[in-house]
Amino acid sequence: MKEIDKYQELKQKLIENSNPDLAKQMEKYLRNKFKFYGLKSPERRKSYHDLIKAEKKNKKIDWKLLDQAWSDSHREAQYFVCDYLISLEKYLTFEDIDQIFNYIKSADCKIKLNTFEK
């Protein structure tokens, strides 16, 4: 059996826990600017908790995974990128600023990263 890649694993977990009725409400609330799986924050974070836990053991940022998640049309995947970066902030370096800036300028996402506030 072929090993599933991390982005597909993330997407599968979000789909498994999705709530179509809540997704419609969330989309309407944000004026249909974004698609949603319909996951509230606790359920969303629980969906990818194990993935982030495994990534911490790698002690490095997986930019390929983050780029794929950021490109996903569903907002929860973009929230994953924010949560991932916050969880792995101690592995960020000054050289990562350009990559993070690409995320910030491409969407309405405010990321508070203590690493860059010093």
Side-chain angles (χ1 to χ4, degrees):
M1 186 168 131
K2 187 178 179 182
E3 182 181 332
I4 190 167
D5 76 359
K6 290 183 267 188
Y7 170 68
Q8 291 302 322
E9 177 184 345
L10 168 66
K11 191 169 183 168
Q12 182 178 346
K13 292 284 187 185
L14 293 172
I15 290 170
E16 286 173 5
N17 297 308
S18 67
N19 180 335
D21 294 330
L22 187 56
K24 289 177 187 174
Q25 293 173 9
M26 295 168 114
E27 289 168 6
K28 185 177 179 183
Y29 179 75
L30 289 179
R31 300 181 182 162
N32 296 313
K33 291 184 179 181
F34 304 101
K35 287 183 176 181
F36 284 89
Y37 288 111
L39 296 170
K40 292 184 178 181
S41 295
E43 292 85 9
R44 183 188 79 236
R45 289 185 177 119
K46 187 177 178 184
S47 295
Y48 49 70
H49 173 78
D50 291 339
L51 178 58
I52 288 180
K53 188 175 177 180
E55 287 297 298
K56 284 182 179 180
K57 291 178 183 176
N58 293 335
K59 298 182 180 182
K60 65 178 186 173
I61 307 295
D62 184 344
W63 293 108
K64 179 182 174 191
L65 168 62
L66 297 183
D67 288 343
Q68 289 175 311
W70 194 261
S71 297
D72 191 297
S73 60
H74 294 83
R75 196 67 169 161
E76 289 92 343
Q78 296 167 0
Y79 291 150
F80 163 77
V81 173
C82 298
D83 290 339
Y84 180 105
L85 288 171
I86 290 167
S87 294
L88 278 80
E89 70 178 308
K90 69 181 177 181
Y91 303 112
L92 291 168
T93 65
F94 183 77
E95 289 76 26
D96 296 325
I97 290 176
D98 289 336
Q99 184 69 33
I100 294 168
F101 184 71
N102 288 331
Y103 298 143
I104 295 170
K105 73 178 182 179
S106 68
D108 301 325
C109 179
K110 295 180 180 176
I111 303 173
K112 180 181 177 188
L113 295 172
N114 295 330
T115 305
F116 300 112
E117 292 179 352
K118 296 175 184 170

